[in-house]
Amino acid sequence: MADQATKTFDVIFEGKGVATGKMRNDISVEWPMMKESFELATDEGPFHGGDGTAPPPLALFTAALTGCLMTQIRAFAKRLKLDIKHVEVKARLHWEGEQVGMEPYVTAPVGFSLDVDIDSDATGEQLIHLLDCAKKG
Amino acid sequence: MADQATKTFDVIFEGKGVATGKMRNDISVEWPMMKESFELATDEGPFHGGDGTAPPPLALFTAALTGCLMTQIRAFAKRLKLDIKHVEVKARLHWEGEQVGMEPYVTAPVGFSLDVDIDSDATGEQLIHLLDCAKKG
């Protein structure tokens, strides 16, 4: 059947960051395929030499990961014809850094956990399949 | 020397996402160690069933990656005692998706490129070392 054909598609985002304040970065993000653009910014608090005018990069990263999973859960629920009443996700992102004296430190991820709460009449099996699809998406 | 001791530290961010609009997610992000919290949101444009009230998750991801590298460049320039006049970064994030009919698709990263432009009197070698440190940070 024509609608069962396998197709591939590209997802491309472009960012242009400019250092502005002491630690602030203004970043224009474009999604060319959708002709959409977004003005975003990061900063650091005074402890890290910034002015706290925007969230730090890792706060955006946490929101991106959390939002991405939540968006895929709802988008794929439609495709799988599952009725989803509500979704909440609690995420915990953990990195560890190592430094010698005041030399630049090295960080690595320790673990990212996402606790997903879905209010739905679907079966547990259906919801596990949905979650599996959302992770792959 | 005491100040050359190796020490490790944890970096933990927590996100709490709640589905609000059609595709909108409101996400409270906390950085417990710094006692900081940030209210962020994601949405999708009308083409993807949303209302376009906030950037899509991948736009936040693009800004997070770009901002993270830029922040580390400036933070580590101080530690390495390099004078940095200006920083600009152009990022291109490319994923590829594959789908069969209208089933949930599967995506994977193809490549992320970051083109870094640093205005500084430091030598090329010093700047390459700085960039290497920033990537590891």
Side-chain angles (χ1 to χ4, degrees):
Chain A
M1 296 188 296
D3 67 342
Q4 289 303 307
T6 298
K7 66 173 181 182
T8 59
F9 57 93
D10 290 304
V11 179
I12 296 169
F13 277 74
E14 291 172 348
K16 192 183 171 198
V18 179
T20 50
K22 279 182 278 179
M23 289 298 270
R24 182 182 166 101
N25 302 305
D26 280 273
I27 305 159
S28 295
V29 178
E30 288 199 31
W31 190 0
M33 195 187 69
M34 301 302 297
K35 293 187 173 61
E36 290 177 359
S37 65
F38 309 92
E39 298 303 318
L40 292 159
T42 68
D43 199 350
E44 297 290 331
F47 182 83
H48 291 105
D51 293 310
T53 61
L58 292 183
L60 294 191
F61 185 85
T62 304
L65 186 68
T66 309
C68 216
L69 185 69
M70 296 178 76
T71 298
Q72 296 297 42
I73 287 170
R74 292 203 279 176
F76 289 163
K78 288 180 200 163
R79 292 183 180 216
L80 296 169
K81 302 194 192 329
L82 299 179
D83 182 43
I84 296 293
K85 295 184 181 72
H86 192 59
V87 182
E88 292 195 14
V89 171
K90 286 189 185 124
R92 183 173 187 275
L93 286 69
H94 182 187
W95 292 266
E96 189 177 74
E98 186 176 301
Q99 72 175 1
V100 177
M102 280 305 286
E103 287 175 23
Y105 49 80
V106 174
T107 60
V110 176
F112 297 172
S113 69
L114 293 136
D115 180 12
V116 179
D117 189 1
I118 301 177
D119 181 9
S120 169
D121 292 329
T123 67
E125 202 174 309
Q126 287 173 320
L127 293 178
I128 286 168
H129 178 57
L130 170 61
L131 202 53
D132 194 44
C133 291
K135 284 192 285 186
K136 289 179 187 163
Chain B
M1 296 187 299
D3 67 341
Q4 288 304 307
T6 298
K7 65 175 183 181
T8 60
F9 57 92
D10 290 303
V11 179
I12 296 170
F13 277 74
E14 291 173 346
K16 192 183 169 197
V18 178
T20 50
K22 280 182 278 180
M23 290 299 269
R24 181 182 168 101
N25 302 305
D26 281 273
I27 305 158
S28 294
V29 178
E30 288 199 30
W31 190 1
M33 195 188 68
M34 301 303 296
K35 293 188 174 61
E36 291 179 358
S37 65
F38 309 93
E39 298 303 318
L40 293 159
T42 67
D43 200 350
E44 296 290 330
F47 182 82
H48 290 107
D51 294 311
T53 61
L58 292 183
L60 293 192
F61 185 86
T62 303
L65 186 69
T66 308
C68 216
L69 185 69
M70 296 178 76
T71 298
Q72 297 297 41
I73 287 170
R74 291 202 280 175
F76 290 163
K78 286 180 204 165
R79 291 183 181 217
L80 296 169
K81 303 194 190 330
L82 299 179
D83 182 43
I84 297 294
K85 295 185 181 71
H86 191 60
V87 182
E88 292 196 14
V89 171
K90 286 188 185 126
R92 184 174 187 274
L93 286 68
H94 182 188
W95 292 266
E96 189 176 74
E98 186 176 301
Q99 72 174 1
V100 178
M102 280 305 285
E103 287 174 25
Y105 49 80
V106 174
T107 60
V110 176
F112 297 172
S113 69
L114 292 136
D115 181 11
V116 179
D117 189 1
I118 300 177
D119 181 9
S120 170
D121 292 329
T123 66
E125 199 173 314
Q126 287 173 319
L127 293 178
I128 286 168
H129 177 57
L130 170 63
L131 201 52
D132 194 42
C133 290
K135 284 193 284 186
K136 289 180 187 164

